[in-house]
Amino acid sequence: MSSDEEVIMNESKKTLKGFIHELKEFLGILHSYDATELEWEKDGYGIKLSRKATRSHGQAPVSSNGKNRAKVELFHVVSPVVGTFHFLPEMPQVGALLKPGQALGYVRAVNVQHTIDVEKPGKLSEIHAQEGQPVEFGQLLFTIENERVS
Amino acid sequence: MFHKILIANRGEIAVRVIRACKQMGIKTVAVYSEADRDLLHVKLADESVCVGSPSAAKSYLNVPNIMSAAQITGADAIHPGYGFLAENQQFAEICDKHQIHFIGPPIEAMGMLGDKARARGLAERLNVPVIPGTDVLADLDEALKKAKQIGYPVMIKAVAGGGGKGMRFVTSPAELEKNLPIARAEAEASFNDGRVYLEKYLIEPRHIEVQILGDRSGNVVAVGERECSLQRQHQKIMEEAPSIAVTPPVRKKDTGTRDQDWQRSSLRWRGNH
């Protein structure tokens, strides 16, 4: 390999590294804002990223713990109907441990009340719903973390 | 005048209703299924609400979710477009109960015209010409007797029918005997209503519809005919206006007389039908 070729190779590697770094940053922004599309343009070149909105079960990054690997699964509790969301008198707190069947609130649709309960045990990681908020079908209400050792 | 209208439909009809509302300064709410979130009507409406999973039965026909969407968005009227809930009398009654205007025919007119036997009876009372036929058939004996009076070939038709379901073409008493229970069973399965009646079969007829516009003050106008004869499996493929088969005297008779205006008024139509 000639010295000129080596320079080109090193430049290419640098460019690729820089691109991967930028790509990671963009992906980070996309996920942190739960956005489905991101478009960026500068000096005549640009990038467009898009992803499908995640409404089903997700997975948090895997943490390593010696031989046992703890896998954190995220469960999204969504509204099964269109209506107005209400908390129960005992409002759940972030970090609370939840049992299957435990009620977190209810959605009032016309004259019917639909209870929002937990399907699997876990820790309440995020509350997305607000008291009295109008919600649509499939709208994200709560996120629950379920840690399991594999 | 309405303040905000929810459009319980999708596709071109939803887009057309939104466009008309914008011209009239009325706010719009689009509803959509999870599969349709990227459709044009969702983007064009002032607000949008996801009302269910992809199947139409769980979204565009999901009455509780659609009513709830109207309530949470503060819509004072629902436009059903065509298809889906547009001819659903029960839905119109629910809207009425919740004090939300159903943009369409009044409930009593929907009931009257949704039942083809009652619609025939009404037309006869108002001296509107109808194809020779019968009321609801009680049994085979009555069917055979009436078919003989009308003259074969005849059609067995479902009272609650539409789209060719529960419909059978018969040319003889033997065929009538064979097909009557089949038509009844098909009508029962499709419409949960097994009642059938007979009508004289017209060979190669034209299917012409006349558009009628009415308002709540009783003003009614006929805005010309549509040629709907081009069909496949009892479903229209294309509509053409005006029809080349309708001569000016026939057109005048169908759309212009004072008598017929009175007949339309008697149905208390509201909106475009």
Side-chain angles (χ1 to χ4, degrees), chain A residues 81-84 109-110 134 136-137, chain B residues 32 34 49-50 52-53 65 68 98:
Chain A
V81 291
V82 180
T84 313
V110 193
E136 60 182 358
F137 174 86
Chain B
Y32 61 95
E34 281 182 319
V49 180
C50 179
S53 47
N65 275 3
S68 203
H98 289 88

Side-chain angles (χ1 to χ4, degrees), chain A residues 24-60:
Chain A
K24 278 181 177 170
E25 276 193 6
F26 289 138
L27 286 170
I29 294 169
L30 197 66
H31 281 276
S32 62
Y33 286 96
D34 200 27
T36 51
E37 213 170 283
L38 186 146
E39 206 169 344
W40 178 84
E41 203 179 324
K42 193 186 171 190
D43 301 334
Y45 75 98
I47 189 165
K48 187 177 177 181
L49 297 170
S50 62
R51 67 183 184 114
K52 282 185 180 171
T54 51
R55 287 188 176 264
S56 56
H57 302 162
Q59 271 189 5

Side-chain angles (χ1 to χ4, degrees), chain B residues 126-172:
Chain B
L126 297 172
N127 296 323
V128 174
V130 292
I131 302 166
T134 70
D135 206 338
V136 179
L137 295 171
D139 51 32
L140 178 64
D141 285 345
E142 190 192 359
L144 289 166
K145 203 175 124 193
K146 294 276 172 67
K148 199 178 170 187
Q149 281 171 12
I150 298 166
Y152 290 94
V154 293
M155 281 295 258
I156 309 169
K157 295 177 93 172
V159 165
K165 298 266 168 38
M167 205 158 88
R168 284 290 182 283
F169 168 64
V170 290
T171 58
S172 65

Side-chain angles (χ1 to χ4, degrees), chain B residues 116 120 131-135 137 143 146-148 150-159 163-172 175-176 179-180 183-184 186 195-205 231 233-234:
Chain B
K116 288 181 194 287
R120 276 185 61 88
I131 302 166
T134 70
D135 206 338
L137 295 171
K146 294 276 172 67
K148 199 178 170 187
I150 298 166
Y152 290 94
V154 293
M155 281 295 258
I156 309 169
K157 295 177 93 172
V159 165
K165 298 266 168 38
M167 205 158 88
R168 284 290 182 283
F169 168 64
V170 290
T171 58
S172 65
E175 278 184 24
L176 180 59
N179 282 288
L180 189 66
R184 276 194 170 136
E186 200 175 287
R195 293 177 301 152
V196 294
Y197 67 103
L198 292 181
E199 230 173 47
K200 174 80 184 162
Y201 180 76
L202 301 181
I203 296 158
E204 293 189 10
Q231 299 186 3
Q233 293 175 347
H234 309 292

